[in-house]
Amino acid sequence: MSAPELTVERVELLRLSMPLRLPFRTSFGTQTHRDVVLARVDCGGVEGWGELVAGSGPWYSEETVGSALVLLREHIVPLMVGASFSHPSAVARLLAPIRGNHMAKATVETACWDAWALAGGESLAHVIGGVRDRVPTGVSVGIQDSVAQLLDLIERHLAEGYARIKVKVEPGWDVEPLAAIRERFGDIPLMADANSAYRLNDASRLQQLDGFDLTMVEQPLAHDDIADHAVLARQLATPICLDESLHSAALTRHALDLGACAIVNVKIGRLGGHDESRAVHRLCVERRVPVWCGGMLETGVGRLHNLAIASLPGFTLPGDTSASKRYWEADIIDPPVTLAADGTVAVPGAGGIVSRLDRDRLSALVDGRESFS
Ligand code: OSB
Ligand code: MG
């Protein structure tokens, strides 16, 4: 394709709060809504959109909506306004001097990819290396008040067609619910996500999960650990997938070299944007390590970015790229993301995220707007 040169003329940050249809409980807490920040990057004639995926508090990672807004206002957006780029990788390089704060950076980095794809008349998925127009999709099911409730919810999701079930676990909500799922639903594709709820001396408890033939157990140990996961991996038959611990392609390489994980969860926000996500994908393809696209309860904007990255060839496992209605009464994109009966979701085509925005719904929800030029 032609490589358009774009200049960032203006960056807008929009704030909105969206109630989740159901509270989402993990080992680190219960979420009832999302405080969303969207970035609109105006490149004169084309615009790109990105979403901040940080939580309201520092429970999944150190970053929060508040910390990201400070970084965006004081450090990230000032570097962006007036900057020109002929390829979005230049944006990642421009932001590289800012350490950490990956979710804050990804908010605008992803928006620049979206604008650049639009300017070139291509789909975002195509320009980042996607090869599929539909991707298999699973669903992440939170901790419930009872096993009966959990089974009901899973039954509904299986009837909708989801290609795999991921259940959140923590000590005391692990062996019993997983045994009940296997008993009720047989050999469905099943995995568990602990969000760092265990310690290395819980290894014998985690060994009990080996009886359930899980595709993987995600992030059993500390959010910033790689070394203990490598020790644990040698004591488990179930493959370990890392989520929280992996913030870059380099850290992913260290984790793979140490044997800390056999599967990698790619989250664009955690990695700082599409550029680093592609680097993680390249590494994992080279090493024949399966990757899949995680989720952060995104609105349609972040969801379309996730679906684009999930269309790359190495994403061989179903992602947490569920349909809009699994999260929202009404999404901010139109049409919303929907699940087909075969368990797949469509990858967005050309036209940019801007062409999918539900402008009326968005204006009704936005309760704060800052503009930088
Ligand atoms: O650990 O994957 C996680 C949601 C918020 C924060 C962390 C996680 C999750 C999920 C939900 O599991 C994934 C989704 O459906 O967006
Ligand atoms: Mg996870």
Side-chain angles (χ1 to χ4, degrees):
M1 68 177 271
S2 62
E5 179 167 276
L6 296 181
T7 299
V8 178
E9 294 182 356
R10 174 188 303 273
V11 177
E12 279 187 327
L13 300 176
L14 284 67
R15 300 192 60 176
L16 51 148
S17 178
M18 303 238 319
L20 286 162
R21 279 181 67 186
L22 295 171
F24 187 66
R25 180 172 159 202
T26 64
S27 62
F28 61 77
T30 302
Q31 237 177 301
T32 56
H33 68 284
R34 271 203 62 226
D35 291 317
V36 180
V37 176
L38 300 177
R40 176 179 169 273
V41 173
D42 181 347
C43 299
V46 290
E47 63 187 70
W49 287 77
E51 175 173 345
L52 172 67
V53 301
S56 308
W59 320 128
Y60 165 83
S61 73
E62 294 92 334
E63 286 189 91
T64 69
V65 172
S67 76
L69 279 170
V70 170
L71 264 288
L72 281 160
R73 285 184 196 118
E74 297 183 7
H75 299 284
I76 296 168
V77 173
L79 283 179
M80 300 290 307
V81 173
S84 298
F85 60 94
S86 55
H87 188 278
S89 288
V91 175
R93 284 195 298 275
L94 181 68
L95 299 177
I98 298 171
R99 292 184 182 171
N101 298 287
H102 289 182
M103 294 174 179
K105 292 203 267 185
T107 311
V108 290
E109 194 259 12
T110 54
C112 290
W113 277 95
D114 179 40
W116 191 74
L118 178 60
E122 303 267 4
S123 71
L124 174 62
H126 185 256
V127 300
I128 62 178
V131 293
R132 283 184 288 257
D133 58 10
R134 301 195 67 86
V135 292
T137 291
V139 60
S140 175
V141 182
I143 295 168
Q144 305 297 311
D145 291 336
S146 69
V147 169
Q149 257 179 40
L150 176 72
L151 296 180
D152 279 354
L153 203 50
I154 292 173
E155 182 167 44
R156 258 182 287 159
H157 288 315
L158 290 171
E160 289 167 314
Y162 282 106
R164 84 59 188 121
I165 300 292
K166 157 168 143 182
V167 288
K168 294 292 189 176
V169 294
E170 64 183 6
W173 181 265
D174 44 21
V175 176
E176 194 198 348
L178 289 168
I181 293 166
R182 278 293 181 229
E183 198 193 332
R184 170 87 165 266
F185 302 110
D187 65 351
I188 57 164
L190 182 64
M191 59 175 286
D193 185 358
N195 290 110
S196 302
Y198 298 84
R199 294 295 166 262
L200 195 51
N201 63 17
D202 296 318
S204 62
R205 179 100 193 167
L206 290 165
Q207 280 168 344
Q208 293 183 59
L209 306 190
D210 283 343
F212 300 121
D213 193 28
L214 305 177
T215 323
M216 70 194 94
V217 58
E218 189 180 343
Q219 197 73 33
L221 306 181
H223 73 97
D224 54 357
D225 170 79
I226 287 176
D228 278 356
H229 279 100
V231 176
L232 178 66
R234 286 183 233 116
Q235 301 173 41
L236 295 186
T238 308
I240 291 177
C241 170
L242 289 179
D243 172 358
E244 281 89 330
S245 301
L246 303 180
H247 297 277
S248 65
L251 275 172
T252 306
R253 179 166 48 78
H254 301 324
L256 294 174
D257 285 346
L258 282 170
C261 65
I263 299 176
V264 168
N265 171 322
V266 169
K267 285 183 182 168
I268 302 163
R270 198 192 67 230
L271 293 164
H274 282 302
D275 202 67
E276 196 68 15
S277 300
R278 295 165 88 215
V280 169
H281 169 263
R282 262 193 310 276
L283 170 77
C284 290
V285 168
E286 252 169 51
R287 306 257 184 130
R288 295 188 162 71
V289 169
V291 302
W292 58 281
C293 181
M296 294 291 288
L297 312 176
E298 288 86 351
T299 74
V301 172
R303 194 162 303 283
L304 296 180
H305 280 289
N306 288 350
L307 287 166
I309 198 83
S311 73
L312 270 66
F315 285 72
T316 53
L317 293 165
D320 282 344
T321 47
S322 314
S324 297
K325 74 166 191 193
R326 179 254 173 271
Y327 313 89
W328 317 114
E329 216 55 72
D331 205 339
I332 55 173
I333 57 168
D334 183 27
V337 170
T338 55
L339 182 77
D342 68 353
T344 65
V345 159
V347 174
I353 290 175
V354 64
S355 69
R356 283 285 284 273
L357 284 177
D358 185 331
R359 290 277 181 183
D360 294 339
R361 182 162 302 285
L362 192 55
S363 321
L365 286 169
V366 168
D367 59 15
R369 193 185 282 266
E370 297 170 62
S371 185
F372 305 84
S373 55

PDB file of all heavy atoms in Angstrom, residues 235-259:
ATOM      1  N   GLN A 235       6.269 -28.262  37.990  1.00  0.00           N
ATOM      2  CA  GLN A 235       5.484 -29.097  38.913  1.00  0.00           C
ATOM      3  C   GLN A 235       4.068 -29.342  38.423  1.00  0.00           C
ATOM      4  O   GLN A 235       3.295 -30.038  39.067  1.00  0.00           O
ATOM      5  CB  GLN A 235       5.432 -28.427  40.291  1.00  0.00           C
ATOM      6  CG  GLN A 235       6.815 -28.199  40.890  1.00  0.00           C
ATOM      7  CD  GLN A 235       6.759 -27.384  42.178  1.00  0.00           C
ATOM      8  OE1 GLN A 235       5.885 -27.584  43.011  1.00  0.00           O
ATOM      9  NE2 GLN A 235       7.693 -26.465  42.336  1.00  0.00           N
ATOM     10  N   LEU A 236       3.693 -28.715  37.294  1.00  0.00           N
ATOM     11  CA  LEU A 236       2.329 -28.845  36.777  1.00  0.00           C
ATOM     12  C   LEU A 236       2.330 -29.514  35.407  1.00  0.00           C
ATOM     13  O   LEU A 236       3.239 -29.300  34.612  1.00  0.00           O
ATOM     14  CB  LEU A 236       1.673 -27.471  36.618  1.00  0.00           C
ATOM     15  CG  LEU A 236       1.396 -26.608  37.843  1.00  0.00           C
ATOM     16  CD1 LEU A 236       0.621 -25.367  37.434  1.00  0.00           C
ATOM     17  CD2 LEU A 236       0.653 -27.391  38.923  1.00  0.00           C
ATOM     18  N   ALA A 237       1.277 -30.296  35.147  1.00  0.00           N
ATOM     19  CA  ALA A 237       1.076 -30.818  33.791  1.00  0.00           C
ATOM     20  C   ALA A 237       0.343 -29.774  32.947  1.00  0.00           C
ATOM     21  O   ALA A 237       0.543 -29.676  31.739  1.00  0.00           O
ATOM     22  CB  ALA A 237       0.270 -32.116  33.852  1.00  0.00           C
ATOM     23  N   THR A 238      -0.516 -28.973  33.583  1.00  0.00           N
ATOM     24  CA  THR A 238      -1.286 -27.946  32.867  1.00  0.00           C
ATOM     25  C   THR A 238      -0.340 -26.852  32.379  1.00  0.00           C
ATOM     26  O   THR A 238       0.446 -26.323  33.172  1.00  0.00           O
ATOM     27  CB  THR A 238      -2.335 -27.325  33.816  1.00  0.00           C
ATOM     28  OG1 THR A 238      -3.093 -28.377  34.411  1.00  0.00           O
ATOM     29  CG2 THR A 238      -3.244 -26.376  33.067  1.00  0.00           C
ATOM     30  N   PRO A 239      -0.412 -26.479  31.088  1.00  0.00           N
ATOM     31  CA  PRO A 239       0.442 -25.386  30.602  1.00  0.00           C
ATOM     32  C   PRO A 239       0.115 -24.076  31.316  1.00  0.00           C
ATOM     33  O   PRO A 239      -1.051 -23.786  31.590  1.00  0.00           O
ATOM     34  CB  PRO A 239       0.084 -25.274  29.115  1.00  0.00           C
ATOM     35  CG  PRO A 239      -0.605 -26.553  28.764  1.00  0.00           C
ATOM     36  CD  PRO A 239      -1.249 -27.061  30.022  1.00  0.00           C
ATOM     37  N   ILE A 240       1.139 -23.295  31.595  1.00  0.00           N
ATOM     38  CA  ILE A 240       0.940 -21.970  32.183  1.00  0.00           C
ATOM     39  C   ILE A 240       0.925 -20.936  31.064  1.00  0.00           C
ATOM     40  O   ILE A 240       1.740 -20.993  30.131  1.00  0.00           O
ATOM     41  CB  ILE A 240       2.055 -21.642  33.203  1.00  0.00           C
ATOM     42  CG1 ILE A 240       1.909 -22.539  34.439  1.00  0.00           C
ATOM     43  CG2 ILE A 240       2.025 -20.159  33.600  1.00  0.00           C
ATOM     44  CD1 ILE A 240       2.996 -22.346  35.477  1.00  0.00           C
ATOM     45  N   CYS A 241      -0.037 -20.005  31.158  1.00  0.00           N
ATOM     46  CA  CYS A 241      -0.082 -18.836  30.277  1.00  0.00           C
ATOM     47  C   CYS A 241       0.188 -17.619  31.154  1.00  0.00           C
ATOM     48  O   CYS A 241      -0.361 -17.519  32.240  1.00  0.00           O
ATOM     49  CB  CYS A 241      -1.467 -18.717  29.648  1.00  0.00           C
ATOM     50  SG  CYS A 241      -1.745 -17.159  28.768  1.00  0.00           S
ATOM     51  N   LEU A 242       1.034 -16.719  30.689  1.00  0.00           N
ATOM     52  CA  LEU A 242       1.243 -15.477  31.444  1.00  0.00           C
ATOM     53  C   LEU A 242       0.467 -14.333  30.815  1.00  0.00           C
ATOM     54  O   LEU A 242       0.366 -14.209  29.598  1.00  0.00           O
ATOM     55  CB  LEU A 242       2.732 -15.136  31.550  1.00  0.00           C
ATOM     56  CG  LEU A 242       3.540 -16.051  32.482  1.00  0.00           C
ATOM     57  CD1 LEU A 242       5.007 -15.637  32.491  1.00  0.00           C
ATOM     58  CD2 LEU A 242       2.980 -16.066  33.902  1.00  0.00           C
ATOM     59  N   ASP A 243      -0.086 -13.518  31.707  1.00  0.00           N
ATOM     60  CA  ASP A 243      -0.817 -12.309  31.323  1.00  0.00           C
ATOM     61  C   ASP A 243      -0.112 -11.130  32.004  1.00  0.00           C
ATOM     62  O   ASP A 243       0.779 -10.488  31.407  1.00  0.00           O
ATOM     63  CB  ASP A 243      -2.293 -12.470  31.752  1.00  0.00           C
ATOM     64  CG  ASP A 243      -3.149 -11.220  31.592  1.00  0.00           C
ATOM     65  OD1 ASP A 243      -2.638 -10.174  31.175  1.00  0.00           O
ATOM     66  OD2 ASP A 243      -4.372 -11.280  31.904  1.00  0.00           O
ATOM     67  N   GLU A 244      -0.449 -10.861  33.277  1.00  0.00           N
ATOM     68  CA  GLU A 244       0.044  -9.693  34.006  1.00  0.00           C
ATOM     69  C   GLU A 244       1.552  -9.470  33.910  1.00  0.00           C
ATOM     70  O   GLU A 244       2.008  -8.322  33.878  1.00  0.00           O
ATOM     71  CB  GLU A 244      -0.340  -9.807  35.496  1.00  0.00           C
ATOM     72  CG  GLU A 244      -1.778  -9.430  35.840  1.00  0.00           C
ATOM     73  CD  GLU A 244      -2.760 -10.591  35.756  1.00  0.00           C
ATOM     74  OE1 GLU A 244      -2.539 -11.519  34.935  1.00  0.00           O
ATOM     75  OE2 GLU A 244      -3.764 -10.568  36.490  1.00  0.00           O
ATOM     76  N   SER A 245       2.354 -10.544  33.917  1.00  0.00           N
ATOM     77  CA  SER A 245       3.816 -10.408  33.996  1.00  0.00           C
ATOM     78  C   SER A 245       4.485  -9.936  32.724  1.00  0.00           C
ATOM     79  O   SER A 245       5.657  -9.551  32.751  1.00  0.00           O
ATOM     80  CB  SER A 245       4.458 -11.757  34.350  1.00  0.00           C
ATOM     81  OG  SER A 245       3.976 -12.240  35.561  1.00  0.00           O
ATOM     82  N   LEU A 246       3.782 -10.021  31.605  1.00  0.00           N
ATOM     83  CA  LEU A 246       4.459  -9.781  30.316  1.00  0.00           C
ATOM     84  C   LEU A 246       4.157  -8.385  29.792  1.00  0.00           C
ATOM     85  O   LEU A 246       3.051  -8.101  29.348  1.00  0.00           O
ATOM     86  CB  LEU A 246       4.037 -10.840  29.295  1.00  0.00           C
ATOM     87  CG  LEU A 246       4.298 -12.298  29.715  1.00  0.00           C
ATOM     88  CD1 LEU A 246       3.845 -13.250  28.609  1.00  0.00           C
ATOM     89  CD2 LEU A 246       5.771 -12.534  30.060  1.00  0.00           C
ATOM     90  N   HIS A 247       5.152  -7.505  29.834  1.00  0.00           N
ATOM     91  CA  HIS A 247       4.961  -6.112  29.421  1.00  0.00           C
ATOM     92  C   HIS A 247       5.704  -5.748  28.155  1.00  0.00           C
ATOM     93  O   HIS A 247       5.691  -4.592  27.734  1.00  0.00           O
ATOM     94  CB  HIS A 247       5.386  -5.167  30.542  1.00  0.00           C
ATOM     95  CG  HIS A 247       4.560  -5.323  31.774  1.00  0.00           C
ATOM     96  ND1 HIS A 247       3.344  -4.708  31.922  1.00  0.00           N
ATOM     97  CD2 HIS A 247       4.735  -6.089  32.879  1.00  0.00           C
ATOM     98  CE1 HIS A 247       2.822  -5.058  33.087  1.00  0.00           C
ATOM     99  NE2 HIS A 247       3.634  -5.903  33.673  1.00  0.00           N
ATOM    100  N   SER A 248       6.427  -6.701  27.572  1.00  0.00           N
ATOM    101  CA  SER A 248       7.210  -6.397  26.371  1.00  0.00           C
ATOM    102  C   SER A 248       7.600  -7.703  25.693  1.00  0.00           C
ATOM    103  O   SER A 248       7.484  -8.782  26.279  1.00  0.00           O
ATOM    104  CB  SER A 248       8.489  -5.645  26.752  1.00  0.00           C
ATOM    105  OG  SER A 248       9.312  -6.493  27.533  1.00  0.00           O
ATOM    106  N   ALA A 249       8.107  -7.567  24.468  1.00  0.00           N
ATOM    107  CA  ALA A 249       8.625  -8.745  23.766  1.00  0.00           C
ATOM    108  C   ALA A 249       9.853  -9.293  24.492  1.00  0.00           C
ATOM    109  O   ALA A 249      10.042 -10.507  24.572  1.00  0.00           O
ATOM    110  CB  ALA A 249       8.963  -8.379  22.318  1.00  0.00           C
ATOM    111  N   ALA A 250      10.674  -8.397  25.050  1.00  0.00           N
ATOM    112  CA  ALA A 250      11.877  -8.866  25.760  1.00  0.00           C
ATOM    113  C   ALA A 250      11.501  -9.700  26.982  1.00  0.00           C
ATOM    114  O   ALA A 250      12.059 -10.780  27.205  1.00  0.00           O
ATOM    115  CB  ALA A 250      12.743  -7.671  26.162  1.00  0.00           C
ATOM    116  N   LEU A 251      10.546  -9.213  27.770  1.00  0.00           N
ATOM    117  CA  LEU A 251      10.118  -9.986  28.943  1.00  0.00           C
ATOM    118  C   LEU A 251       9.482 -11.306  28.518  1.00  0.00           C
ATOM    119  O   LEU A 251       9.641 -12.328  29.192  1.00  0.00           O
ATOM    120  CB  LEU A 251       9.106  -9.182  29.775  1.00  0.00           C
ATOM    121  CG  LEU A 251       9.692  -8.198  30.786  1.00  0.00           C
ATOM    122  CD1 LEU A 251       8.579  -7.352  31.393  1.00  0.00           C
ATOM    123  CD2 LEU A 251      10.446  -8.955  31.884  1.00  0.00           C
ATOM    124  N   THR A 252       8.772 -11.295  27.413  1.00  0.00           N
ATOM    125  CA  THR A 252       8.164 -12.531  26.911  1.00  0.00           C
ATOM    126  C   THR A 252       9.260 -13.535  26.545  1.00  0.00           C
ATOM    127  O   THR A 252       9.159 -14.729  26.860  1.00  0.00           O
ATOM    128  CB  THR A 252       7.268 -12.221  25.703  1.00  0.00           C
ATOM    129  OG1 THR A 252       6.324 -11.201  26.074  1.00  0.00           O
ATOM    130  CG2 THR A 252       6.518 -13.461  25.240  1.00  0.00           C
ATOM    131  N   ARG A 253      10.333 -13.011  25.923  1.00  0.00           N
ATOM    132  CA  ARG A 253      11.470 -13.891  25.580  1.00  0.00           C
ATOM    133  C   ARG A 253      12.093 -14.463  26.848  1.00  0.00           C
ATOM    134  O   ARG A 253      12.393 -15.666  26.920  1.00  0.00           O
ATOM    135  CB  ARG A 253      12.489 -13.084  24.760  1.00  0.00           C
ATOM    136  CG  ARG A 253      13.732 -13.848  24.354  1.00  0.00           C
ATOM    137  CD  ARG A 253      14.529 -13.105  23.278  1.00  0.00           C
ATOM    138  NE  ARG A 253      14.750 -11.684  23.579  1.00  0.00           N
ATOM    139  CZ  ARG A 253      15.666 -11.216  24.437  1.00  0.00           C
ATOM    140  NH1 ARG A 253      16.446 -12.068  25.105  1.00  0.00           N
ATOM    141  NH2 ARG A 253      15.803  -9.923  24.641  1.00  0.00           N
ATOM    142  N   HIS A 254      12.274 -13.629  27.863  1.00  0.00           N
ATOM    143  CA  HIS A 254      12.846 -14.141  29.124  1.00  0.00           C
ATOM    144  C   HIS A 254      11.952 -15.235  29.718  1.00  0.00           C
ATOM    145  O   HIS A 254      12.441 -16.257  30.182  1.00  0.00           O
ATOM    146  CB  HIS A 254      12.987 -13.019  30.161  1.00  0.00           C
ATOM    147  CG  HIS A 254      13.859 -11.888  29.714  1.00  0.00           C
ATOM    148  ND1 HIS A 254      14.979 -12.074  28.932  1.00  0.00           N
ATOM    149  CD2 HIS A 254      13.775 -10.549  29.921  1.00  0.00           C
ATOM    150  CE1 HIS A 254      15.542 -10.904  28.688  1.00  0.00           C
ATOM    151  NE2 HIS A 254      14.827  -9.956  29.266  1.00  0.00           N
ATOM    152  N   ALA A 255      10.651 -15.005  29.713  1.00  0.00           N
ATOM    153  CA  ALA A 255       9.714 -15.974  30.282  1.00  0.00           C
ATOM    154  C   ALA A 255       9.786 -17.300  29.516  1.00  0.00           C
ATOM    155  O   ALA A 255       9.801 -18.377  30.119  1.00  0.00           O
ATOM    156  CB  ALA A 255       8.296 -15.407  30.264  1.00  0.00           C
ATOM    157  N   LEU A 256       9.864 -17.213  28.188  1.00  0.00           N
ATOM    158  CA  LEU A 256       9.926 -18.436  27.387  1.00  0.00           C
ATOM    159  C   LEU A 256      11.268 -19.146  27.600  1.00  0.00           C
ATOM    160  O   LEU A 256      11.320 -20.371  27.736  1.00  0.00           O
ATOM    161  CB  LEU A 256       9.715 -18.116  25.910  1.00  0.00           C
ATOM    162  CG  LEU A 256       8.321 -17.581  25.543  1.00  0.00           C
ATOM    163  CD1 LEU A 256       8.277 -17.148  24.077  1.00  0.00           C
ATOM    164  CD2 LEU A 256       7.233 -18.615  25.833  1.00  0.00           C
ATOM    165  N   ASP A 257      12.363 -18.372  27.652  1.00  0.00           N
ATOM    166  CA  ASP A 257      13.685 -18.968  27.872  1.00  0.00           C
ATOM    167  C   ASP A 257      13.747 -19.703  29.211  1.00  0.00           C
ATOM    168  O   ASP A 257      14.374 -20.751  29.323  1.00  0.00           O
ATOM    169  CB  ASP A 257      14.774 -17.882  27.837  1.00  0.00           C
ATOM    170  CG  ASP A 257      15.067 -17.399  26.422  1.00  0.00           C
ATOM    171  OD1 ASP A 257      14.623 -18.076  25.458  1.00  0.00           O
ATOM    172  OD2 ASP A 257      15.716 -16.349  26.272  1.00  0.00           O
ATOM    173  N   LEU A 258      13.080 -19.138  30.223  1.00  0.00           N
ATOM    174  CA  LEU A 258      13.099 -19.748  31.555  1.00  0.00           C
ATOM    175  C   LEU A 258      12.091 -20.886  31.691  1.00  0.00           C
ATOM    176  O   LEU A 258      12.087 -21.587  32.694  1.00  0.00           O
ATOM    177  CB  LEU A 258      12.780 -18.689  32.617  1.00  0.00           C
ATOM    178  CG  LEU A 258      13.906 -17.740  32.991  1.00  0.00           C
ATOM    179  CD1 LEU A 258      13.374 -16.601  33.859  1.00  0.00           C
ATOM    180  CD2 LEU A 258      15.008 -18.503  33.736  1.00  0.00           C
ATOM    181  N   GLY A 259      11.195 -21.030  30.730  1.00  0.00           N
ATOM    182  CA  GLY A 259      10.148 -22.046  30.849  1.00  0.00           C
ATOM    183  C   GLY A 259       9.035 -21.617  31.796  1.00  0.00           C
ATOM    184  O   GLY A 259       8.350 -22.449  32.394  1.00  0.00           O
TER     185      GLY A 259
END
